[in-house]
Amino acid sequence: MDISSSPLWSAQQILDHPETIIGTHLAFLRAGARIILTSTYQASGETFRRAGYSDSEAKDTMLKAVTLANDARTAFVVESSSDTSVKIALSLGPFGASLSPTQEFDGFYPPPYGPMGSSDSGPLTNTFDEGDVDSEQASIFALAQFHLERLLVFARDPEAWSKVDIIAFETVPLIREVKGIRLAMHSLENTVVREGLALQMKPWWVGFVLPEGKCPELRFPGGLGMTVDDLVSAAFAWKPSGGGDAVPTPTGIGINCTSPKVISGLVRQMSTAVEQVSGSRSLESGKKPWLVLYPNGGDVYDTITRSWIVASKDERELWAVDLKDTIVEASKNCAWGGVVVGGCCRAGPELIRRLDDELKHAAM
């Protein structure tokens, strides 16, 4: 089923083919998955408006995605006749996923979210001029507001919120967006108190995207790129300027929608960076974060042509084996409180089944 022609991407199927969403969730659960992601990755007020839907229709559709995931979970528990624990993760893509063409791999965001969104005024860049602190701060707050608005759609609906177990911020390309997400989670906590919402906060993770093994954000236009150390620091050590309340840190961090070829090296870098942050006592209450890994299935998506460059048969055959080896190594590292592993784009149920088999026989 081709979803590339819709600005809503997978969310379009919530409207057109809800039974397909349930069936897809069930296929992954039957393959061994125990966390399923809602089909809300690209869902936001802006993407729905661009597709011709009202804000009310957008809200109803986003909430329906949670219901569909829960329907699949319920059906699986019944058919498996077991006490299997299945978690629902609320999928929230980056601001770049709401743009057309999407910008989650490059992070070329328009003002106020970034320096520019088109090449009309010069070469594209995803970072502000060195020393432009005001624009940097404004973009962080704008990104925080973008993420907060989506979070509140679910938080203000007690039934939907009760069905969600985890919040998954996915495919985040920029350091300042990580900071914006942390501010959004802080604002969510404050809103819950201010509005008297009877709900509990959820564990949450941030999945970074590192095309070709590199952070897409530059330190300044034309400069060197940010590093894994910078990503980890933004997730755990960064504090908003001007003081004030501390902002929450994620329960887990990791990598998604990235080539499996570069995952192993990136995990080693991330493990070292987390150990350094732990040594500086930047982690909340000394808690170790979870490592969250779900690389793509080896195929590469061309955002311009909206088509896939298919991986070789050998690459797909080794996907589960290589990922298992990475997980075994990471699980022995004292930096992490645990590991969540799976697959992102083009990692279908068959690859998940292979990964499940590999992990069952792994020495961990």
Side-chain angles (χ1 to χ4, degrees):
M1 183 176 293
D2 183 16
I3 58 175
S4 62
S5 60
S6 169
L8 298 180
W9 202 46
S10 60
Q12 186 67 51
Q13 303 312 309
I14 305 170
L15 295 161
D16 297 344
H17 301 286
E19 72 286 350
T20 299
I21 297 291
I22 295 175
T24 301
H25 285 316
L26 280 170
F28 279 103
L29 290 170
R30 290 164 181 158
R34 291 300 175 264
I35 299 176
I36 52 176
L37 288 151
T38 58
S39 50
T40 50
Y41 171 81
Q42 218 154 358
S44 69
E46 178 56 34
T47 51
F48 274 97
R49 284 190 288 271
R50 192 164 61 244
Y53 295 95
S54 68
D55 289 348
S56 176
E57 290 171 321
K59 175 184 174 182
D60 290 345
T61 304
M62 292 165 73
L63 294 174
K64 185 177 179 180
V66 177
T67 299
L68 295 177
N70 189 63
D71 288 348
R73 171 168 61 183
T74 301
F76 178 72
V77 171
V78 170
E79 76 174 36
S80 61
S81 300
S82 69
D83 295 326
T84 300
S85 177
V86 174
K87 305 295 185 184
I88 292 176
L90 178 63
S91 172
L92 298 175
F95 172 74
S98 71
L99 301 175
S100 183
T102 59
Q103 284 295 332
E104 59 262 76
F105 299 119
D106 296 310
F108 296 139
Y109 292 1
Y113 308 95
M116 62 178 58
S118 72
S119 58
D120 295 341
S121 57
L124 287 171
T125 181
N126 57 23
T127 191
F128 295 98
D129 291 336
E130 196 170 12
D132 190 356
V133 177
D134 290 343
S135 295
E136 176 86 8
Q137 290 300 314
S139 72
I140 292 172
F141 286 117
L143 289 166
Q145 186 61 30
F146 168 79
H147 286 286
L148 176 62
E149 287 176 358
R150 289 190 301 173
L151 285 165
L152 288 175
V153 168
F154 302 96
R156 285 173 171 155
D157 188 288
E159 184 178 359
W161 189 259
S162 68
K163 295 171 182 174
V164 170
D165 301 293
I166 306 160
I167 301 172
F169 296 100
E170 305 185 282
T171 327
V172 178
L174 302 176
I175 301 292
R176 65 178 181 276
E177 188 153 17
V178 179
K179 298 173 181 178
I181 288 169
R182 290 181 60 194
L183 284 179
M185 291 301 294
H186 180 58
S187 296
L188 177 63
E189 291 177 351
N190 290 339
T191 302
V192 167
V193 174
R194 185 173 62 252
E195 297 184 3
L197 301 176
L199 55 83
Q200 291 184 330
M201 298 300 291
K202 308 289 184 179
W204 54 287
W205 74 58
V206 178
F208 307 119
V209 62
L210 294 108
E212 300 179 359
K214 299 177 182 179
C215 180
E217 184 175 1
L218 303 179
R219 294 191 180 280
F220 54 86
L224 297 175
M226 295 289 194
T227 66
V228 170
D229 286 8
D230 295 318
L231 290 171
V232 172
S233 178
F236 298 114
W238 173 77
K239 297 179 181 179
S241 60
D245 297 337
V247 292
T249 57
T251 314
I253 61 169
I255 305 162
N256 77 285
C257 210
T258 296
S259 170
K261 296 178 182 179
V262 299
I263 289 294
S264 181
L266 289 172
V267 170
R268 293 191 190 100
Q269 294 177 46
M270 192 168 286
S271 298
T272 300
V274 169
E275 286 181 320
Q276 292 173 345
V277 170
S278 299
S280 66
R281 298 184 179 181
S282 295
L283 296 179
E284 286 184 353
S285 305
K287 294 180 180 178
K288 293 182 179 180
W290 281 66
L291 172 64
V292 185
L293 287 181
Y294 47 120
N296 61 40
D299 299 346
V300 178
Y301 186 65
D302 187 322
T303 58
I304 304 300
T305 63
R306 292 192 172 189
S307 61
W308 290 95
I309 302 170
V310 180
S312 69
K313 181 179 179 181
D314 288 344
E315 288 175 327
R316 294 187 72 81
E317 288 289 338
L318 291 173
W319 184 87
V321 176
D322 291 344
L323 188 52
K324 177 263 298 181
D325 290 342
T326 299
I327 294 305
V328 169
E329 180 181 345
S331 66
K332 297 175 181 177
N333 192 300
C334 62
W336 305 107
V339 181
V340 174
V341 62
C344 198
C345 297
R346 306 283 277 193
E350 181 54 38
L351 285 184
I352 297 302
R353 183 175 290 106
R354 292 182 193 175
L355 178 60
D356 186 48
D357 290 341
E358 289 289 338
L359 291 173
K360 285 177 179 176
H361 297 93
M364 298 175 67

